[in-house]
Amino acid sequence: MALVDQAWYVNYGNGSSTGYYAVIQWATGTVIAAGALRRQLAAPAVGSERVFVCIVAGTTHATTEPTWVITRGGKTTDNTVTWQECTGIAALNGDATNTPSWTITATPPGGVKNTAVTLGQVIKRDNGASYQICTTAGTAGNGAEPAFSNTAGTTTADNTVTWTSLGVVGNFTGWQAPHAREENACTATWGQAGNAFFIATESLSTSAANRTVTSPGSQANPSFFYSVTKTTLPPVSANLSSGASITTTGNSNLSIGGNADFYATAFNCGTTAQNTVLTIGSGSANAHLFEACSFSIPATGSTANMVFGSSSAEKVRLVSCTFTFGAVGQTMRNANGARVEIIGGSIAATGSVPTTLFDVTNGTGGEVLLDGVDLSAFTSGKTIVGANANRMDRFKVTRCKLGASVTLAATPNTRGAIYDFIQCDSGATNYLNARYTYEGTQTVDTTIVRTGGATDGTTLISEKIVTTANSKWIFPFESQPITIWNDSTSAITSLTIYGTTTGGGVPKDDEIWVEVEYLGASGSPLGSIITTTKANSLAASAATNNSADGSTWAGGGAGNGFKIVVPSFTPGQKGPINITIKAAKASTTYYIDPKPSISGITVSKSYVVAPGIYVNERASAAVANVGLHPIDMGIAA
C-alpha cells in the first residue's frame, strides 16, 4: 500500500475546549453537509480520540450516536450520513504544502498516480483547487488526472480507486482536525518514517495511565516532532517555540522512543508520591535527538528516575535541554549500555537536587558524555557519578559548571569503568581535571607543585594520583594522557617526567612508569610505544629508569622527588606524542608534573590546557602548536 503523507498535526489543547476539543462534537438529528468535521460525543477511550469528515451529506441519527470506526480512513454509517476518519491529516488541518497531488512530483509531498492508494488518503487536485479523499482503496490510474470536482461530496472514479471531494482547499483554514495525542499520530498507518509531526504550543496532552510515544522513524529516515505556534501553515523555523507538553499524572510512567528529533517539547512524568520512570529512548539500534526540550519528574517518589536507552546499540543526544526532579533520591540512569550525550542545558536548576545524579548500579554499562552542562545546583553533599556494580561505564564530563565542594564521583567497583572530568569547576579556573577508576584517582593539585613546572598560564599545577588497593602491575592506574606536538623527526634522546611522593624513596619501575606513544614509522600512522617498566611480570623489580631528583616542590612535596627517564626514540613523522603515567603500587600517592622535559624540543612556555591538549610554544617561533588526544575528542582513551 502507498502512504505518501508528509506531516501530521497534534493539538490536545487544554483538554476541554481548545485544540482537538474545539472540534464540534457529534449531535443527534443534525443536518450535515459534505466536508463537515466532527468528533465523538461520548468521551472516547484514551488513544481513541478521532475526527471524522462527512463524505455523504444527510441527517444524523435522531437518538443514538453511531459506533465509530476509528481505524485510519474507516467509514461510519450514521442514519443518512456517512463519515470517514480523517484525524491529523495535513490537508484537513490547513496544510496544502504537505498534501500530495494526484500526479507524482519529483519532490515531496509526491503523488499517487499508478500507485496503490489506501482508504482515507487525502490528495489535492494538481491545480490545488480542492481536496479529494480515497473512499474506495485500489490502484490509481496511469493516464491523465481524473476530472475531479471541487464540489464536496462528489465522487470520481480513478481506475480501481474512488475519490470523494471534500470541497475547496480554502474550507480548511488550519488546525481543524488534529490528533489529541502524540502516540495516536504515531500509530501504524498514520505517521510514517520521515514525517513531520507538528504539535501546537497550546497542546498539553495528559494521561493518568502509562504512556509510550514511539516515533515511526527509522535510523535511515527519522521522524520529526516540533512544538510550534499556530501562526503559519505549514509551520516554519520561526514557529518553533516551547509550550507543547506530554504528561502522565499519578503513578504513571512515560516512555519516549523510536528514531526521532523532538524540538522544544516538555516531558513530565507522574505527580504522586510514587516511583515513576521517565524513559528517554527505547528500542534496539535507535537514535534519538532532543533539542531545547525539558524533562521533569514532578512525582515525589524517592527512587523515581530518568532512564536513558534500552539497548547497547542506541544513541540518545540531548541538546540545550533541562532536567528537574521531585525528590533528592531520584537519579538518572544509563540502563542498558546506550551512548548518551547531554550537550548544554542544565540539570536540577529548579526543583529537588538529587543526592547522586547518575546511578550506575543497574544495567549493563554504557557511555555518557556531558559537555557544557550547568551542574551548579550540585554542591557539598552531592555526587555527580555514583559507584557502579558489575558494569563497564564510561563517563566524560567536559567544560561543565559545578557547584562548590561537590563530589565528582565515587570510585568505580569494576575494572574498565572510567569517569573523566575535563575543565570542570565552580569558579573561574579551567584547569581542574579528574579521573576515577577501579585502580585509582587522578585530580589536579595546586599546593604540592614543582617550581618551573606546568601551569595554566598563571597557576602552577600538578596531577595528584592516588592508587587504590586494586592497582597491580598487570592492571595499573592509567592517567589522563599528556599530549605534546612534536615538530621534528630527529631523535629524542630523553623524555623526562618529574614527580614526588609523600613517602618512601625512589619508586621502582614496576610501581610507577611512563608509556609513550608516537608516530614511529615514516610511511604510515602506525603508532609505536615505548615504556619504562619491566618486560614482564616475572622480571625483577628495579629502578632502571627511575632515579632521585632534586627539583624544588612546594607544599610539602620536597624530599621525595624522583624522575622517570624514557630512553631514546626517533619519531618517523611530525605529530602528537602521547604520554601516560601508569601507577601500580597499591594505596600510594604521587604528584606528577605534567610538563615533560624533552630533548630536541625547546619549550619556553608550557601551558597545560586540558587533558590531551598541551600547548608547546617553541623558543624559535612565537607560534603555539596544539596537540589533541582522543580523550578530548569524544573517544574513550
Side-chain angles (χ1 to χ4, degrees):
M1 63 181 177
L3 295 170
V4 292
D5 299 286
Q6 297 296 314
W8 298 88
Y9 284 75
V10 180
N11 187 2
Y12 183 83
N14 60 8
S16 61
S17 61
T18 61
Y20 166 82
Y21 295 93
V23 178
I24 299 172
Q25 287 182 287
W26 179 91
T28 59
T30 304
V31 176
I32 302 294
L37 298 168
R38 293 293 186 272
R39 64 182 172 99
Q40 297 108 311
L41 175 63
V46 172
S48 296
E49 301 92 342
R50 298 288 187 271
V51 178
F52 305 89
V53 63
C54 175
I55 56 174
V56 177
T59 303
T60 63
H61 197 280
T63 60
T64 307
E65 182 177 10
T67 300
W68 299 99
V69 179
I70 62 173
T71 55
R72 181 177 178 186
K75 290 186 281 188
T76 300
T77 300
D78 171 23
N79 194 26
T80 59
V81 177
T82 301
W83 301 97
Q84 190 165 10
E85 188 281 331
C86 63
T87 321
I89 293 173
L92 305 190
N93 285 281
D95 181 357
T97 301
N98 284 305
T99 300
S101 303
W102 184 84
T103 300
I104 296 175
T105 57
T107 58
V112 297
K113 179 179 179 178
N114 196 32
T115 65
V117 180
T118 58
L119 201 64
Q121 176 73 65
V122 175
I123 63 170
K124 62 190 175 190
R125 293 184 61 179
D126 287 351
N127 65 8
S130 61
Y131 292 132
Q132 312 289 323
I133 188 169
C134 174
T135 48
T136 301
T139 300
N142 194 29
E145 180 189 19
F148 290 121
S149 171
N150 295 337
T151 302
T154 304
T155 61
T156 302
D158 175 19
N159 194 25
T160 60
V161 177
T162 300
W163 300 96
T164 298
S165 176
L166 297 179
V168 297
V169 168
N171 289 343
F172 302 93
T173 55
W175 296 90
Q176 291 163 286
H179 277 289
R181 303 172 189 276
E182 292 74 10
E183 52 267 54
N184 299 11
C186 294
T187 303
T189 74
W190 278 277
Q192 305 131 50
N195 285 177
F197 296 80
F198 297 117
I199 310 170
T201 53
E202 66 182 14
S203 180
L204 311 176
S205 67
T206 184
S207 174
N210 293 341
R211 298 184 68 178
T212 298
V213 179
T214 303
S215 164
S218 64
Q219 286 197 86
N221 198 16
S223 297
F224 302 85
F225 296 76
Y226 305 109
S227 174
V228 296
T229 60
K230 300 194 300 179
T231 54
T232 304
L233 287 171
V236 294
S237 178
N239 295 99
L240 294 172
S241 179
S242 61
S245 63
I246 301 174
T247 298
T248 61
T249 59
N251 185 26
S252 301
N253 300 327
L254 175 60
S255 178
I256 311 297
N259 292 278
D261 173 10
F262 278 89
Y263 192 94
T265 305
F267 303 92
N268 309 300
C269 180
T271 56
T272 63
Q274 302 293 327
N275 297 315
T276 56
V277 179
L278 173 53
T279 302
I280 305 166
S282 60
S284 178
N286 285 340
H288 324 272
L289 172 61
F290 297 87
E291 303 177 86
C293 293
S294 64
F295 301 87
S296 174
I297 301 181
T300 57
S302 61
T303 60
N305 54 74
M306 297 183 189
V307 177
F308 299 97
S310 63
S311 166
S312 60
E314 269 190 290
K315 179 176 180 178
V316 181
R317 183 175 175 87
L318 305 111
V319 180
S320 300
C321 295
T322 60
F323 306 83
T324 58
F325 302 86
V328 298
Q330 297 174 3
T331 62
M332 289 180 166
R333 288 173 46 200
N334 178 6
N336 290 286
R339 177 177 173 86
V340 179
E341 301 174 353
I342 303 177
I343 313 299
S346 65
I347 299 178
T350 60
S352 296
V353 181
T355 301
T356 300
L357 177 56
F358 279 96
D359 169 22
V360 286
T361 59
N362 298 293
T364 58
E367 187 173 18
V368 178
L369 166 69
L370 278 72
D371 193 351
V373 181
D374 186 348
L375 301 172
S376 58
F378 292 85
T379 57
S380 178
K382 307 294 183 179
T383 300
I384 303 298
V385 184
N388 68 340
N390 302 318
R391 294 167 54 112
M392 187 182 292
D393 292 281
R394 297 294 181 97
F395 279 84
K396 186 156 79 80
V397 184
T398 60
R399 291 169 285 276
C400 291
K401 182 180 180 181
L402 306 175
S405 304
V406 65
T407 298
L408 297 182
T411 301
N413 292 319
T414 55
R415 298 191 194 277
I418 299 177
Y419 308 158
D420 276 314
F421 294 80
I422 300 170
Q423 290 183 306
C424 296
D425 197 8
S426 60
T429 59
N430 59 17
Y431 55 76
L432 293 185
N433 312 297
R435 167 168 285 189
Y436 296 79
T437 72
Y438 181 70
E439 296 81 15
T441 63
Q442 172 187 338
T443 56
V444 169
D445 194 87
T446 58
T447 301
I448 299 180
V449 291
R450 177 173 172 263
T451 301
T455 78
D456 70 333
T458 302
T459 304
L460 282 169
I461 62 174
S462 67
E463 301 291 349
K464 180 181 179 181
I465 294 173
V466 181
T467 60
T468 67
N470 307 309
S471 186
K472 303 180 183 301
W473 185 79
I474 57 171
F475 294 119
F477 172 79
E478 300 184 17
S479 73
Q480 292 176 335
I482 303 166
T483 300
I484 64 168
W485 183 266
N486 166 48
D487 205 37
S488 171
T489 55
S490 301
I492 295 176
T493 56
S494 66
L495 184 155
T496 305
I497 291 290
Y498 298 92
T500 188
T501 182
T502 54
V506 176
K508 298 295 195 333
D509 293 349
D510 60 354
E511 294 176 336
I512 186 168
W513 64 94
V514 173
E515 186 172 281
V516 177
E517 180 203 19
Y518 62 98
L519 297 174
S522 60
S524 77
L526 180 65
S528 297
I529 295 176
I530 185 170
T531 182
T532 65
T533 191
K534 61 186 183 181
N536 55 64
S537 59
L538 292 178
S541 179
T544 305
N545 296 297
N546 298 359
S547 60
D549 177 64
S551 295
T552 301
W553 287 79
N560 292 301
F562 62 89
K563 60 185 177 182
I564 305 172
V565 180
V566 180
S568 175
F569 61 96
T570 302
Q573 299 182 50
K574 299 177 182 180
I577 296 176
N578 301 316
I579 305 164
T580 301
I581 313 301
K582 299 193 175 185
K585 186 177 180 180
S587 304
T588 302
T589 301
Y590 300 101
Y591 295 85
I592 302 297
D593 176 11
K595 173 186 173 181
S597 172
I598 307 175
S599 64
I601 297 179
T602 303
V603 180
S604 61
K605 294 180 181 178
S606 301
Y607 306 120
V608 178
V609 181
I613 304 180
Y614 187 97
V615 179
N616 171 23
E617 185 176 348
R618 295 174 58 82
S620 59
V623 178
N625 298 310
V626 180
L628 296 178
H629 189 274
I631 191 175
D632 204 58
M633 295 190 290
I635 304 171

